[in-house]
Amino acid sequence: MGKRILDILNTETSQPSITAEGWIQTVRTSGAVTFFEIGDGSTIFNLQAVADATLPDYTQLQHVPTGAAVRCKGELVASPAKGQKWELHLSHMEILGGVDADYPLQKKRHSFEFMRTIAHVRPRARTFQAVFRVRHALQMAVHRFFDEQGFIQVHTPIITASDCEGAGQMFRVTTLDMDKLPRKDGRIDFGKDFFGREASLTVSGQLEGEIFALAFKNIYTFGPTFRAENSHTARHAAEFWMIEPEMAFCDLAGDRAVAEDFIKYIVTEVLNRCSDDIDFFNQWIEKGLRDKLESLVQAEFATVPYTEAVAMLEKSGEKFEYPVKWGLDLQSEHERYLTEKLLKKPMFVIDYPRDIKAFYMRLNDDEKTVAAMDLLVPRVGEIIGGSQREERIDVLDKQLRHFDLNPEDYWWYRDLRRFGGVAHAGFGLGFERMLMYVTGMQNIRDVIPFARTPGNAEF
Ligand code: 4AD
Ligand code: MG
């Protein structure tokens, strides 16, 4: 196996003989010399390999198509060309995988939309290589942050019987025969189903996360999450990844502090580890991205109660598509206006009306709002949703009834309040939303390897 191109390009001294493997990105012939740009995904930069006419199979090499898989051998020497330290003078190039004429990345630049239809080859394209390298670095940073802070990672189940967010947007999991559904008293008998009850794909690992927080104090989950909401927006996917820390002995202010430290830490890591990719996004995808990320790390995030945020929007004189009124949920256009135009930095909106949030959020003393927090950032809007949890069992029961939920169904969740229950809080970061923010990519379908959205599950 040859060295990674990243390591070759970072070599300190010239090398008499090296081997490099990768895919041809471009081929250019100039006089009696042919230049190949070779990439292997390890860096945004390609290795330039140079073949001259004295090579025995030179005529054949000149026609190696873009996209071919090759193994190159030769001498690594200082490059006279600008912008690259080294180039490879080929002594031999072996074509390991040829390319049929209909290879879609042959020459043209394609729209991101078209690229979604060829998700099996789009990871070879430069932008997507950068996206998925950053995706990797970002998830490593997530684990590093929590590990350094002493959080325990918990693998919460993907198949679940509880609807955490209570929004009824779950994908059913069943092995029942759709043509012969068993019935009892006129209804489908889920007692005959695989789990002996209704089951779904999880919308959040939070409820199970709370179980572990009340044993380990600080925990986090990081897993796939599923929502059957029929949203055709650039920020919603039916399958996405979510990071959910949960902290016992912690209130909403503590929750906010963890969220702010966390976001700053992972952005710093990406700036340090993916500097070349960030430069690429800064140049081609979002002008000013690097400045935005560097100032985020320095900024103090704002905190605005929902009631004030609504007043700010009402006073703004801005025409919105959706109405702004106390008691209505903030829409993406409102969120973006607040964080992009008014505050111009990341902001927590806290203390939302009880009726637009989930049953588990802690009721504030005004009995009208709950101890919730959403973190809004420019361009993306909401990236984090979180709250302090209701730890008082009598209030929790009132909340369950208020939301027409049956306290018996939540018996183990209620038990947590009876067995050493204590104030606790947590939040969920949408991993792809965060990735959109750090890369500047504008569609969630372009930061997840294989997007699951309404009507789309080809790859
Ligand atoms: O605000 P949400 O629904 O919060 C929860 O699920 C809580 N249980 C989290 C917690 O307190 N532990 O979702 C959290 C985040 C959102 O802020 C958003 O970034 C992301 O998950 N998200 C989505 N991302 C992509 N596609 C979707 N359909 C998303 N729905 C939510
Ligand atoms: Mg939310």
Side-chain angles (χ1 to χ4, degrees):
M1 217 166 66
K3 273 190 178 176
R4 288 188 310 162
I5 286 175
L6 173 68
D7 298 325
I8 294 173
L9 294 175
N10 285 337
T11 304
E12 292 296 327
T13 56
S14 58
Q15 309 275 322
S17 167
I18 64 154
T19 302
E21 291 149 352
W23 291 269
I24 305 268
Q25 308 297 316
T26 62
V27 186
R28 177 170 59 86
T29 296
S30 161
V33 191
T34 297
F35 299 93
F36 302 96
E37 296 271 333
I38 298 167
D40 68 353
S42 60
T43 156
I44 193 84
F45 302 113
N46 293 319
L47 173 66
Q48 177 163 287
V50 188
D52 67 44
T54 60
L55 281 186
D57 44 2
Y58 182 70
T59 331
Q60 193 198 332
L61 283 188
Q62 274 183 303
H63 298 107
V64 176
T66 299
V70 295
R71 179 176 294 129
C72 306
K73 292 198 166 107
E75 186 181 0
L76 191 72
V77 298
S79 173
K82 249 185 102 178
Q84 61 189 25
K85 197 166 158 202
W86 303 111
E87 63 185 33
L88 179 62
H89 283 187
L90 284 170
S91 56
H92 183 68
M93 187 157 82
E94 196 182 341
I95 296 148
L96 303 175
V99 184
D100 287 359
D102 57 349
Y103 178 56
L105 303 185
Q106 202 76 258
K107 270 208 172 64
K108 272 189 300 180
R109 286 184 67 136
H110 298 294
S111 68
F112 290 151
E113 220 160 13
F114 174 72
M115 293 296 251
R116 286 174 214 143
T117 68
I118 50 165
H120 60 313
V121 289
R122 86 174 173 169
R124 314 250 189 106
R126 217 168 170 216
T127 305
F128 293 94
Q129 295 232 308
V131 164
F132 294 119
R133 269 192 303 272
V134 171
R135 186 175 171 113
H136 166 74
L138 191 65
Q139 64 101 12
M140 293 302 286
V142 167
H143 289 299
R144 207 170 298 127
F145 173 83
F146 288 119
D147 187 47
E148 282 175 10
Q149 307 273 326
F151 283 57
I152 293 280
Q153 187 192 1
V154 186
H155 294 134
T156 49
I158 287 170
I159 299 174
T160 173
S162 44
D163 180 358
C164 172
E165 295 307 301
Q169 297 175 323
M170 304 184 83
F171 288 102
R172 187 184 294 287
V173 174
T174 179
T175 52
L176 290 179
D177 180 345
M178 293 295 148
D179 291 325
K180 278 191 267 138
L181 290 171
R183 294 198 170 260
K184 195 171 150 189
D185 307 329
R187 304 173 129 230
I188 296 165
D189 182 7
F190 286 103
K192 299 245 162 49
D193 204 348
F194 190 91
F195 297 106
R197 58 184 303 163
E198 288 187 71
S200 306
L201 297 178
T202 188
V203 295
S204 160
Q206 179 199 318
L207 301 187
E208 295 89 351
E210 285 184 50
I211 295 178
F212 272 71
L214 289 163
F216 291 90
K217 197 165 171 188
N218 293 336
I219 65 95
Y220 72 106
T221 71
F222 190 166
T225 311
F226 307 87
R227 302 217 177 157
E229 53 189 325
N230 200 15
S231 308
H232 297 256
T233 80
R235 307 172 316 122
H236 287 89
E239 176 178 316
F240 61 98
W241 286 65
M242 185 153 57
I243 298 128
E244 294 183 275
E246 189 72 30
M247 292 80 71
F249 306 92
C250 182
D251 61 9
L252 192 68
D255 200 21
R256 264 182 7 234
V258 174
E260 184 165 343
D261 287 352
F262 171 54
I263 296 292
K264 288 177 174 173
Y265 181 100
I266 61 180
V267 167
T268 305
E269 285 271 299
V270 166
L271 282 168
N272 291 340
R273 290 194 54 194
C274 306
S275 194
D276 297 330
D277 291 322
I278 295 299
D279 285 341
F280 172 83
F281 291 122
N282 191 62
Q283 183 175 358
W284 299 103
I285 305 293
E286 181 184 334
K287 297 262 180 279
L289 175 76
R290 178 177 278 283
D291 274 354
K292 178 187 90 175
L293 297 178
E294 284 172 353
S295 57
L296 170 123
V297 174
Q298 303 300 329
E300 202 180 308
F301 294 5
T303 298
V304 179
Y306 166 91
T307 303
E308 261 175 54
V310 167
M312 285 161 79
L313 290 167
E314 282 172 338
K315 267 200 303 228
S316 70
E318 183 78 10
K319 279 261 168 295
F320 294 110
E321 189 183 335
Y322 292 92
V324 178
K325 196 172 143 230
W326 200 98
L328 297 181
D329 206 359
L330 298 179
Q331 300 296 321
S332 166
E333 55 170 349
H334 309 137
E335 297 175 343
R336 291 189 54 178
Y337 188 82
L338 284 165
T339 174
E340 274 172 39
K341 299 268 162 45
L342 291 180
L343 278 286
K344 297 193 169 60
K345 61 175 175 175
M347 65 185 286
F348 291 104
V349 176
I350 60 167
D351 299 334
Y352 281 81
R354 166 198 197 192
D355 287 332
I356 57 172
K357 289 291 185 185
F359 74 92
Y360 54 71
M361 298 193 181
R362 193 177 194 278
L363 196 61
N364 287 327
D365 291 343
D366 62 15
E367 300 207 345
K368 287 202 300 249
T369 61
V370 286
M373 63 172 205
D374 277 8
L375 178 63
L376 314 181
V377 294
R379 287 173 76 104
V380 182
E382 176 193 341
I383 54 169
I384 279 181
S387 69
Q388 186 172 339
R389 321 305 187 190
E390 186 54 77
E391 84 283 12
R392 300 160 295 186
I393 191 151
D394 50 326
V395 185
L396 178 65
D397 284 345
K398 258 198 259 169
Q399 282 283 88
L400 285 166
R401 282 192 296 268
H402 180 75
F403 286 99
D404 268 335
L405 299 167
N406 183 359
E408 276 169 34
D409 292 343
Y410 291 83
W411 65 272
W412 53 263
Y413 193 72
R414 295 177 68 254
D415 274 359
L416 297 177
R417 276 71 190 161
R418 304 194 300 121
F419 304 157
V422 67
H424 59 290
F427 62 84
L429 170 69
F431 187 57
E432 285 75 20
R433 298 252 178 109
M434 187 64 202
L435 207 50
M436 290 168 71
Y437 182 75
V438 298
T439 59
M441 297 295 284
Q442 297 216 23
N443 197 306
I444 195 164
R445 295 166 182 80
D446 298 331
V447 296
I448 190 161
F450 305 100
R452 298 289 175 260
T453 48
N456 181 17
E458 174 80 13
F459 296 91

